[in-house]
Amino acid sequence: MNSRARASLLRLRGLIRKEAWQIVRDPSSILIAFILPLVLLFIFGFGVSLDASHVKVALVVEKPSPQTMRFSSAFEHSEYFAPVHFQEARQAEKAMERGQVRAIVWLREDFSQKVLSGRSAPIGLLVDGVDANSARIVEGYLQGVWQHYLAEEAQSRGVSLTTPVSVQERIWFNPEVRSRNFLVPGLVAVIMTLIGALSTAMVVSREWERGTMEALWVTPVRVGEVLLGKLIPYFLLGMGGMLLTVAMAWWVFEVPLRGSFWLLLLSSMLFLLAALGMGLLISTVARNQFVAGQVAIIATFLPAFILSGFIFDIDSMPPAIQFLTHIIAARYFVAILQTIFLVGNVWVVFVGNALALLAMAAFFMLLVRRRTKKNLE
């Protein structure tokens, strides 16, 4: 190694040590890298659920009978419903207007008579449709309770329940149908966006505010050495946050990891490089902490949260928004995460999305290198 390369290596090591000490002394970096991921994990792991359970349903039975009791017991023994009994439909309607129940199941007084006579016995069903997604879920659960009741009724009579089509259900990849298994892997992308983009943009802009960047430029350091000195510590910090998040997802929230951990590690590195590149690019444009933080949230965190497929299905979005998601790095990472965690090593999914992350990381890094010049302007 010649003297020039040795001097460059010494300068780089000094820059890395400086940045590492700054991270240790700065509580906000530790907060973003380790405390905030834990808070988000506990909120989305325990507090946020797309599942419908213990939904309050009003049961209106105008004339109780053994048939209506069997139907009501199907709700009593269901983990999805918490039935509330009413004698009149008007009372149940008022309860739904006040938001006390989410649906009304109405058995009229001639229900048992029609069932015993073999005639059609209609059931009144009203569902609160303010939240359209929850309304569809509740409606599907109610259909399941109805089918269960029909099967028990046929068994009590010693006959078989005849249907023109027999459906044999099998749920792949998430047999427990837990929304936690879907949300927690995607949350890794949101957390790494915070660590990579937000923390980097804030810290570098803070140095511009304090004047330490100007002091750095008057030294013999090169632009590439400064960028590497910024990237390496925050890259290690981001990977530490990723490992913490994955460990929490596996051991605390019991999300299965069916694919290769090394593929997960590789894709995380590619995404983190893209996030760090976005953070450094923001810091070169906005040299004020407040502005850099706002730009980082709007340009990186919100798109990762809304347009990545983390919560909202991309295929259900309008075509123009679907096209826009292709410039969101988190979209490709979320697809890899959900596949590796729940499905396994699907190479078609991994290779395509990993190449997209590699291209975006290279693009942002090259753009940062072109825009970062050793001057005080």
Side-chain angles (χ1 to χ4, degrees), residues 79-98:
E79 63 176 312
Y80 303 113
F81 296 109
V84 182
H85 296 273
F86 293 90
Q87 293 181 345
E88 296 180 1
R90 184 55 190 160
Q91 295 175 342
E93 290 173 1
K94 289 182 179 179
M96 190 156 72
E97 290 173 0
R98 299 189 189 102

Side-chain angles (χ1 to χ4, degrees), residues 70-143:
R70 280 198 292 270
F71 184 81
S72 300
S73 67
F75 286 90
E76 298 285 352
H77 295 91
S78 173
E79 63 176 312
Y80 303 113
F81 296 109
V84 182
H85 296 273
F86 293 90
Q87 293 181 345
E88 296 180 1
R90 184 55 190 160
Q91 295 175 342
E93 290 173 1
K94 289 182 179 179
M96 190 156 72
E97 290 173 0
R98 299 189 189 102
Q100 297 172 347
V101 296
R102 302 288 297 276
I104 299 174
V105 178
W106 184 9
L107 304 182
R108 295 177 176 85
E109 60 180 358
D110 59 349
F111 176 80
S112 299
Q113 181 182 355
K114 289 184 177 181
V115 169
L116 294 174
S117 63
R119 291 180 293 166
S120 175
I123 297 175
L125 174 60
L126 289 81
V127 180
D128 184 353
V130 173
D131 184 346
N133 186 57
S134 296
R136 284 191 289 266
I137 293 174
V138 170
E139 186 179 4
Y141 288 170
L142 289 169
Q143 293 287 346

Side-chain angles (χ1 to χ4, degrees), residues 3-265:
S3 59
R4 179 177 296 181
R6 189 180 300 109
S8 177
L9 188 60
L10 289 174
R11 289 194 298 267
L12 178 59
R13 188 171 66 179
L15 289 169
I16 293 173
R17 286 186 60 187
K18 164 191 167 295
E19 202 66 38
W21 276 112
Q22 184 169 330
I23 291 173
V24 173
R25 291 195 302 264
D26 183 13
S28 65
S29 299
I30 306 300
L31 178 69
I32 294 175
F34 297 106
I35 306 301
L36 190 58
L38 292 178
V39 173
L40 289 175
L41 279 169
F42 277 102
I43 289 175
F44 281 89
F46 292 118
V48 177
S49 175
L50 302 180
D51 305 325
S53 61
H54 300 95
V55 178
K56 290 187 177 180
V57 175
L59 287 180
V60 180
V61 181
E62 293 185 348
K63 187 177 181 180
S65 66
Q67 286 74 29
T68 60
M69 289 181 63
R70 280 198 292 270
F71 184 81
S72 300
S73 67
F75 286 90
E76 298 285 352
H77 295 91
S78 173
E79 63 176 312
Y80 303 113
F81 296 109
V84 182
H85 296 273
F86 293 90
Q87 293 181 345
E88 296 180 1
R90 184 55 190 160
Q91 295 175 342
E93 290 173 1
K94 289 182 179 179
M96 190 156 72
E97 290 173 0
R98 299 189 189 102
Q100 297 172 347
V101 296
R102 302 288 297 276
I104 299 174
V105 178
W106 184 9
L107 304 182
R108 295 177 176 85
E109 60 180 358
D110 59 349
F111 176 80
S112 299
Q113 181 182 355
K114 289 184 177 181
V115 169
L116 294 174
S117 63
R119 291 180 293 166
S120 175
I123 297 175
L125 174 60
L126 289 81
V127 180
D128 184 353
V130 173
D131 184 346
N133 186 57
S134 296
R136 284 191 289 266
I137 293 174
V138 170
E139 186 179 4
Y141 288 170
L142 289 169
Q143 293 287 346
V145 170
W146 171 240
Q147 291 295 325
H148 180 70
Y149 164 75
L150 289 178
E152 287 193 343
E153 190 70 17
Q155 185 178 6
S156 66
R157 297 185 185 184
V159 297
S160 59
L161 180 63
T162 304
T163 56
V165 178
S166 176
V167 179
Q168 296 181 351
E169 293 185 354
R170 184 180 178 187
I171 300 174
W172 281 18
F173 313 135
N174 188 9
E176 302 90 354
V177 197
R178 291 197 311 165
S179 60
R180 182 185 300 173
N181 291 355
F182 172 79
L183 290 174
V184 173
L187 193 59
V188 177
V190 177
I191 290 172
M192 292 187 69
T193 301
L194 281 173
I195 298 174
L198 183 59
S199 62
T200 308
M202 294 284 287
V203 169
V204 176
S205 60
R206 184 185 306 146
E207 289 203 49
W208 282 110
E209 283 186 353
R210 294 176 177 175
T212 54
M213 285 296 289
E214 286 86 346
L216 190 62
W217 286 140
V218 299
T219 64
V221 296
R222 300 174 181 175
V223 173
E225 295 167 356
V226 172
L227 292 178
L228 282 176
K230 298 290 182 187
L231 283 173
I232 293 175
Y234 284 97
F235 179 83
L236 297 176
L237 189 69
M239 292 307 296
M242 185 277 295
L243 293 173
L244 173 64
T245 306
V246 172
M248 291 282 293
W250 196 4
W251 287 316
V252 177
F253 300 106
E254 298 179 346
V255 178
L257 180 59
R258 298 192 172 101
S260 170
F261 173 77
W262 301 109
L263 291 182
L264 176 63
L265 195 65

Side-chain angles (χ1 to χ4, degrees), residues 339-362:
T339 302
I340 289 179
F341 270 95
L342 299 178
V343 183
N345 299 332
V346 182
W347 289 100
V348 174
V349 175
F350 175 79
V351 172
N353 289 286
L355 289 176
L357 289 176
L358 178 61
M360 297 187 79

